Amino acid sequence: MKKLLLIAVIAVISSCSSKKMTMTGDDIPDCIQKMITRFQEEDKQNPPRRVYRYTYNGNFVYYVPPICCDQFSDLYSSKCELLGHPDGGYTGKGDGKVPDFQDKRSEEKLVWKDERK
């Protein structure tokens, strides 16, 4: 009985933690959802496209990692304003517009990942 209870508790905890990692469409601003739709219409990239949400300077921001070498990542506000490119590019350090993003970001949540095969 204790073993069965332990398995049930682990299953509930695993379920809750996976739900926290991926957001639902209702939680995603329309402009970010449109960006994701555009990504889905493009050819699949390798590595697959992803969008993350972070808290940065008290606001939600959306981070899109670079899709290839020497390309910039993108950081958007919840209104889809491009805040800068926190990393990537030839130096790997981005464009310098958000130099503290890596240190100040928190509460990472995976918003979307291209799961196409």
Side-chain angles (χ1 to χ4, degrees), residues 42-108:
E42 297 173 351
D43 291 338
K44 183 179 179 199
Q45 302 295 318
N46 186 17
R49 288 260 200 197
R50 297 177 315 270
V51 177
Y52 294 91
R53 186 185 81 183
Y54 292 93
T55 299
Y56 173 65
N57 290 338
N59 299 301
F60 288 135
V61 294
Y62 294 84
Y63 172 78
V64 181
I67 56 174
C68 188
C69 39
D70 296 334
Q71 294 184 5
F72 285 126
S73 62
D74 298 319
L75 185 66
Y76 294 94
S77 72
S78 59
K79 295 181 182 178
C80 284
E81 299 159 325
L82 181 63
L83 301 174
H85 307 287
D87 52 21
Y90 293 117
T91 65
K93 297 181 181 181
D95 65 359
K97 291 184 179 177
V98 284
D100 60 352
F101 175 68
Q102 301 294 335
D103 295 327
K104 288 188 174 181
R105 68 184 183 178
S106 63
E107 301 178 30
E108 177 182 279

Side-chain angles (χ1 to χ4, degrees), residues 28-39 41 80:
I28 304 169
D30 288 341
C31 56
I32 301 297
Q33 186 60 56
K34 287 178 185 175
M35 183 185 307
I36 291 169
T37 299
R38 190 178 75 241
F39 291 160
E41 292 170 352
C80 284

Side-chain angles (χ1 to χ4, degrees), residues 9 12 45 66 75 88-89 96 111:
V9 168
V12 168
Q45 302 295 318
L75 185 66
V111 173

